[in-house]
Amino acid sequence: MGAFLQKLYVRIWLAVVLAVAVLTLLVGWAWRATAEPPLREVVVRNASGEVIGAGHMRLGRRPDSDSASPAALPRSASSAPENDAEEPELPSRFGRGPEFLVHMQDGQTVHMHMPRPPNSSWRAPFGFFWTLGLVAIAVALATYPIVRRLTRRLETLQRGVEQWGDGNLSVRVPEGGNDEVAYLSTRFNHAAERVESLVQARDALLASQKSLLANASHELRSPLTRIRMGLELMGPGSTAAQAEIARNIAELDQLIDEILLASRLDAKEADLGTVEPVDLVGLAAEECARHQAALETPQASMVVPGVAKLLRRVVRNLLENARRYGTGEVVLKLSLDGEYAVIQVCDRGPGVPEALLERIFEPFYRLPGASERNGGVGLGLALVKSITLRHGGTVHCRNQEGGGACFEVSLPQKSEKS
């Protein structure tokens, strides 16, 4: 009921009905206040002005059929004789209008009737309050469709704005009419069209940039391959310069590979591989052996749905990040948390400042001072986050007690499509 009364058309409709009802009450009160009171006494005079008789309203009769008093009015002591109580009531056979009993000076009693004209055809026979009720019902029935028609256009505009706010930028609202609602609808459609065109232009620009980046990254592989082949043709004797060139080539090759993968992850429609059951225990054991990290898991097998090569990249990037920035032993822990499989990679390095725990997952972001370290371009953790989100999981970083950072990835054990 409360929600119904909050509707704009209901409030406008009730306001109109109440305004008409109050106006009717005020008019009725003013009419009653200014109307002359009904006749209760009569005085008869002769041609010279002398009083030859006086009387009062007939007993048992209303002073007027339109009077508000339903009971017989009392007599006036100054004009009624002492034997009025003994006078019989005369039957009402003369129609509408006040009737009086007049006592003449000669002792006669005269019955005086002042007939009134018949009721008008438009007059309500039910009384004032019934008339007020009929007026209120008539106003309510007449104004409801008018008010509803006016507010329905506002509701249409409201639904259009809600759909547009939910992301449907192609929605438009009707513009019929010449009032303020039509003007507001026109301005909304104009603004929605401009925003949609800007968003489409931005998406086209981003798609062009991603395509350019992917193509450039792909084309860079050709000169790198030729440089690597040239180093191999220089002979088995390895110099320090050749070793440095080979290391830089390997770093560039890894950067190109990460850029290509990042550009494909940004495209939601890209096919990154077949989703299949992946055993995290076996995958983690292989990567821990490769990076000399310790593996802790209470499970002999922990299967999650996903793309095996992408989940392997997640584990590999976390281990490489821990080995690059941490000191001491790197530990990979596997556990279950409800319907999620949890991967934790912890190190004993300097940790991450609290204000930068979220920023380290941004592409090409490095911690202050990390640019001088060997390896790493700031894409490893960004790929971890993109791959995890692509699999319906979450990732975050926290600092350990005693120093070091711990990265935690949660992956659902059931596919979202199932």
Side-chain angles (χ1 to χ4, degrees):
M1 186 63 181
F4 176 75
L5 293 178
Q6 292 299 321
K7 298 291 186 180
L8 179 61
Y9 75 89
V10 175
R11 288 185 287 175
I12 296 176
W13 179 56
L14 291 178
V16 173
V17 173
L18 290 177
V20 173
V22 171
L23 179 62
T24 306
L25 284 173
L26 292 177
V27 171
W29 175 81
W31 174 69
R32 289 300 179 91
T34 57
E36 295 184 358
L39 301 176
R40 292 183 175 87
E41 298 179 358
V42 64
V43 177
V44 181
R45 301 176 184 272
N46 57 16
S48 61
E50 297 176 353
V51 176
I52 60 175
H56 58 84
M57 184 178 297
R58 184 189 178 204
L59 296 176
R61 291 283 297 172
R62 295 185 183 181
D64 195 339
S65 60
D66 294 333
S67 175
S69 176
L73 297 173
R75 308 179 204 172
S76 173
S78 61
S79 60
E82 295 179 357
N83 59 349
D84 280 347
E86 300 177 357
E87 296 175 356
E89 293 188 16
L90 298 177
S92 178
R93 59 180 183 276
F94 303 106
R96 296 180 66 252
E99 300 178 12
F100 298 88
L101 295 178
V102 182
H103 303 277
M104 306 302 291
Q105 296 293 343
D106 57 3
Q108 294 183 7
T109 299
V110 179
H111 181 270
M112 181 182 295
H113 176 226
M114 296 180 179
R116 298 181 62 86
N119 291 333
S120 301
S121 58
W122 57 269
R123 201 165 189 174
F126 305 110
F128 174 72
F129 289 102
W130 278 102
T131 304
L132 176 62
L134 292 176
V135 170
I137 293 175
V139 171
L141 294 177
T143 57
Y144 180 83
I146 300 175
V147 174
R148 192 70 185 95
R149 179 180 176 86
L150 293 175
T151 56
R152 186 176 287 113
R153 298 170 60 204
L154 289 175
E155 293 178 358
T156 302
L157 178 61
Q158 177 188 0
R159 287 191 296 268
V161 173
E162 290 177 351
Q163 295 177 11
W164 189 80
D166 292 337
N168 185 9
L169 301 183
S170 62
V171 68
R172 299 294 183 269
V173 297
E175 300 180 1
N178 298 315
D179 54 5
E180 291 81 357
V181 178
Y183 176 77
L184 182 60
S185 300
T186 303
R187 300 308 302 169
F188 168 77
N189 290 340
H190 179 68
E193 184 176 355
R194 292 190 60 186
V195 171
E196 185 181 15
S197 62
L198 291 175
V199 171
Q200 290 176 350
R202 184 208 63 180
D203 293 342
L205 179 61
L206 290 178
S208 176
Q209 290 178 347
K210 291 177 182 178
S211 177
L212 177 63
L213 181 62
N215 293 332
S217 301
H218 179 73
E219 294 298 327
L220 283 174
R221 287 188 180 276
S222 297
L224 286 177
T225 302
R226 291 194 295 268
I227 294 174
R228 185 180 291 109
M229 184 179 298
L231 287 176
E232 293 176 355
L233 293 176
M234 291 176 66
S238 177
T239 63
Q242 289 177 335
E244 180 65 18
I245 293 175
R247 188 186 65 82
N248 290 331
I249 291 175
E251 186 174 337
L252 282 174
D253 193 37
Q254 181 183 3
L255 173 60
I256 293 172
D257 184 62
E258 290 181 346
I259 292 176
L260 283 173
L261 180 58
S263 62
R264 295 184 64 191
L265 287 172
D266 288 339
K268 299 299 182 181
E269 65 280 358
D271 184 12
L272 299 175
T274 303
V275 177
E276 57 186 358
V278 179
D279 185 7
L280 291 181
V281 175
L283 187 150
E286 295 176 2
E287 293 299 321
C288 286
R290 179 179 178 181
H291 294 85
Q292 292 81 43
L295 175 62
E296 297 180 2
T297 174
Q299 306 288 332
S301 177
M302 190 179 300
V303 179
V304 297
V307 181
K309 63 179 182 180
L310 295 182
L311 295 180
R312 184 179 295 275
R313 176 60 69 91
V314 168
V315 176
R316 181 178 299 176
N317 285 7
L318 290 177
L319 290 174
E320 290 179 351
N321 182 79
R323 183 62 66 190
R324 182 180 298 117
Y325 299 106
T327 58
E329 184 181 28
V330 177
V331 180
L332 190 152
K333 302 177 183 179
L334 294 177
S335 60
L336 293 176
D337 183 10
E339 297 182 353
Y340 286 83
V342 181
I343 305 172
Q344 291 182 336
V345 177
C346 304
D347 60 62
R348 285 300 177 182
V352 181
E354 294 293 332
L356 303 178
L357 288 176
E358 295 296 330
R359 292 204 62 188
I360 57 176
F361 293 101
E362 297 178 3
F364 298 104
Y365 180 80
R366 296 181 182 181
L367 291 174
S371 59
E372 301 299 329
R373 300 178 183 269
N374 293 330
V377 294
L379 273 178
L381 294 179
L383 289 177
V384 169
K385 183 176 182 180
S386 297
I387 295 173
T388 303
L389 295 177
R390 195 73 179 254
H391 284 76
T394 58
V395 59
H396 66 274
C397 176
R398 59 179 174 83
N399 291 316
Q400 297 188 96
E401 295 183 1
C406 187
F407 291 84
E408 182 175 306
V409 175
S410 298
L411 298 172
Q413 290 187 287
K414 294 181 179 180
S415 177
E416 295 181 353
K417 295 182 179 180
S418 61

